[in-house]
Amino acid sequence: MTYVLLLLVIIIIALMIYNVIIYRRIRNFDNINQKITGLNVLQDFMNTIGEYSTVDEKIEKINEIVIEKYNIKYSTIVMFDGAEYVIKASNVQEQHWEALRSLHTQDIFKDSIQTAMPKYVTVNHEGERLPYQTMEFGRAKSAMFFPLYIDNIYIGYWVLESGEAHAFDKVDTTILEVVKENIIAVYKTISYQNTVENIARKDQFSELNSAEYIYGKGKKIIDKYDTSTVCMFKITNLEEINKKYNRETGNDIITEVSSYIKDSISSEYIFVRYMGPKFAIVFSGIDLQSATEFIQDLKNSIEDIEIEEVLEKNGQKKEKTRYVSAKLNFVLTTYYKGTAIENVTKKLEEYLDNADKTESDINNL
């Protein structure tokens, strides 16, 4: 009997050891799966940067990836824009946004912001609600709050929510920390684009957007297509017109050339005043040969237009009316979706800057 009991004890101990080993293997397997998921999420983040044009689209897509890959009920990214807290992405109904963009005022999260440490809150009893909820009971019963920093500068927060109590008890926070850092890295990258999008301005004489428009909102239109043709041209005799006639006549040349081209091209094409006498047109989805043929006709038509000299200058009228025409030098190349369009425009600009001042042609690079 004693031997039987001893054998049973040994079997039980062996089973316990086996269960511990299996548990550890399962946990290791889960950790590996989480790490693989983390790498996949990072890859998806990087793809998002290239595939989507505007900053807002990129942030929204990043949030969707987090929700899908980690099976999270609610995810909200809130950023401080220098004046106020703005919800950049969320799958929560808008009626709850006011509470979500005010989490920084909640005492329960203030320490988290000051220490840059995540904060986990959950309810323990039915009918209980999270501290920051003012008008809701059933939507969220647990939440993870992550303050976001770029180079030790606080920029906002990321909050995950679940409709279940204690939903994040067993979540590997190290993986979420990695995701958080990826969100910060992506936001840091696209924040430069956000700056570019916001500094695009209208030119006074041409009424065209400035060059920054191409790299921001314009790129959303351009990247609908795999390839496009980027064209840049220079009014080569603008400086001469300003000197020989007057700056007012030069301004009229800019206005007339801009107006003629705007009326001649599709709204799908991006037309901007690049800098000084240089202008850029992006023919979205058009191949180089077709764009070149169109430019040939356009160039001939514009250079045939005669602009009347501004007669009145400093209150004095000139006896004889003179006329002047613009001379244009064009250069075109192909842009491929996903590549740096700023490098393309820089290459075209360098060509025009280095070309002979008398050159008036159509060149392909």
Side-chain angles (χ1 to χ4, degrees):
M1 187 68 178
T2 303
Y3 291 111
V4 174
L5 290 174
L6 183 59
L7 181 60
L8 289 174
V9 170
I10 292 172
I11 292 172
I12 291 171
I13 293 173
L15 288 173
M16 291 175 64
I17 294 172
Y18 177 76
N19 287 336
V20 169
I21 293 171
I22 292 298
Y23 171 75
R24 287 178 177 175
R25 286 180 178 176
I26 291 173
R27 187 173 62 181
N28 289 336
F29 180 75
D30 288 340
N31 288 338
I32 291 171
N33 278 343
Q34 286 181 331
K35 289 176 182 178
I36 292 173
T37 300
L39 291 173
N40 290 336
V41 169
L42 178 58
Q43 182 61 52
D44 289 341
F45 282 2
M46 295 302 102
N47 291 341
T48 295
I49 294 178
E51 291 176 3
Y52 292 83
S53 298
T54 67
V55 170
D56 288 341
E57 283 180 329
K58 290 175 181 178
I59 297 177
E60 288 173 4
K61 183 59 181 178
I62 286 169
N63 202 48
E64 290 174 9
I65 291 170
V66 170
I67 292 167
E68 178 186 349
K69 295 293 185 180
Y70 290 97
N71 214 15
I72 291 168
K73 182 70 174 177
Y74 303 110
S75 176
T76 302
I77 299 173
V78 182
M79 296 295 182
F80 182 64
D81 66 1
E84 60 181 351
Y85 283 81
V86 179
I87 290 185
K88 290 294 185 179
S90 181
N91 65 327
V92 178
Q93 291 180 334
E94 286 194 35
Q95 67 190 72
H96 304 302
W97 283 14
E98 188 58 42
L100 289 171
R101 64 169 159 250
S102 303
L103 295 185
H104 61 285
T105 65
Q106 297 289 327
D107 291 337
I108 195 168
F109 297 126
K110 285 182 179 179
D111 286 343
S112 177
I113 294 173
Q114 291 174 357
T115 61
M117 297 295 292
K119 181 73 175 182
Y120 175 35
V121 292
T122 185
V123 301
N124 294 307
H125 307 289
E126 196 65 34
E128 188 180 356
R129 64 182 176 186
L130 297 174
Y132 62 86
Q133 294 177 324
T134 57
M135 57 175 290
E136 52 184 320
F137 286 91
R139 185 183 67 82
K141 294 182 180 179
S142 56
M144 287 283 292
F145 178 92
F146 293 90
L148 304 177
Y149 283 79
I150 291 181
D151 299 330
N152 296 321
I153 304 298
Y154 170 67
I155 59 165
Y157 51 85
W158 172 42
V159 58
L160 306 177
E161 298 174 293
S162 173
E164 299 178 7
H166 298 278
F168 302 108
D169 286 1
K170 297 181 180 180
V171 170
D172 187 348
T173 57
T174 59
I175 297 295
L176 291 179
E177 283 286 343
V178 171
V179 176
K180 182 197 75 173
E181 292 303 319
N182 290 337
I183 291 174
I184 292 172
V186 171
Y187 186 78
K188 186 176 181 178
T189 301
I190 62 183
S191 64
Y192 300 119
Q193 179 187 339
N194 191 41
T195 301
V196 169
E197 288 179 3
N198 291 329
I199 64 176
R201 295 290 183 269
K202 287 277 188 180
D203 175 62
Q204 178 182 356
F205 299 108
S206 65
E207 296 186 355
L208 299 174
N209 288 305
S210 59
E212 291 79 14
Y213 183 82
I214 294 178
Y215 315 127
K217 294 180 181 178
K219 201 166 184 294
K220 181 178 180 181
I221 299 173
I222 299 165
D223 281 350
K224 291 179 181 178
Y225 308 92
D226 292 335
T227 61
S228 298
T229 297
V230 182
C231 164
M232 190 174 291
F233 70 90
K234 181 178 182 180
I235 304 176
T236 58
N237 61 339
L238 183 61
E239 185 178 352
E240 178 188 344
I241 291 170
N242 289 339
K243 289 180 179 179
K244 185 176 180 180
Y245 298 89
N246 49 61
R247 187 168 291 275
E248 288 77 12
T249 302
N251 291 339
D252 278 359
I253 285 284
I254 291 172
T255 300
E256 186 65 31
V257 170
S258 303
S259 178
Y260 189 91
I261 293 177
K262 275 193 295 186
D263 292 341
S264 302
I265 63 176
S266 165
S267 59
E268 279 287 293
Y269 303 153
I270 309 301
F271 181 32
V272 301
R273 186 171 185 183
Y274 191 80
M275 185 181 297
K278 295 189 286 287
F279 297 76
I281 310 171
V282 182
F283 294 96
S284 311
I286 302 300
D287 64 85
L288 187 62
Q289 182 178 347
S290 299
T292 302
E293 292 172 357
F294 173 78
I295 288 297
Q296 184 64 68
D297 293 336
L298 189 69
K299 182 179 187 297
N300 294 337
S301 298
I302 292 174
E303 292 182 341
D304 285 340
I305 298 173
E306 291 187 329
I307 306 295
E308 183 178 338
E309 176 192 8
V310 177
L311 294 177
E312 193 166 343
K313 183 179 180 183
N314 298 327
Q316 299 295 323
K317 288 189 176 181
K318 295 185 178 181
E319 296 180 359
K320 185 179 179 181
T321 301
R322 295 183 294 178
Y323 294 88
V324 63
S325 297
K327 295 297 179 185
L328 309 179
N329 195 27
F330 285 86
V331 59
L332 299 85
T333 193
T334 301
Y335 163 73
Y336 298 91
K337 179 181 177 180
T339 60
I341 194 169
E342 62 272 17
N343 291 341
V344 175
T345 54
K346 183 179 179 181
K347 180 174 68 173
L348 299 182
E349 181 184 20
E350 287 175 351
Y351 178 88
L352 291 176
D353 287 344
N354 295 322
D356 190 285
K357 290 184 177 180
T358 61
E359 182 178 288
S360 178
D361 205 348
I362 298 174
N363 309 277
N364 290 342
L365 297 183

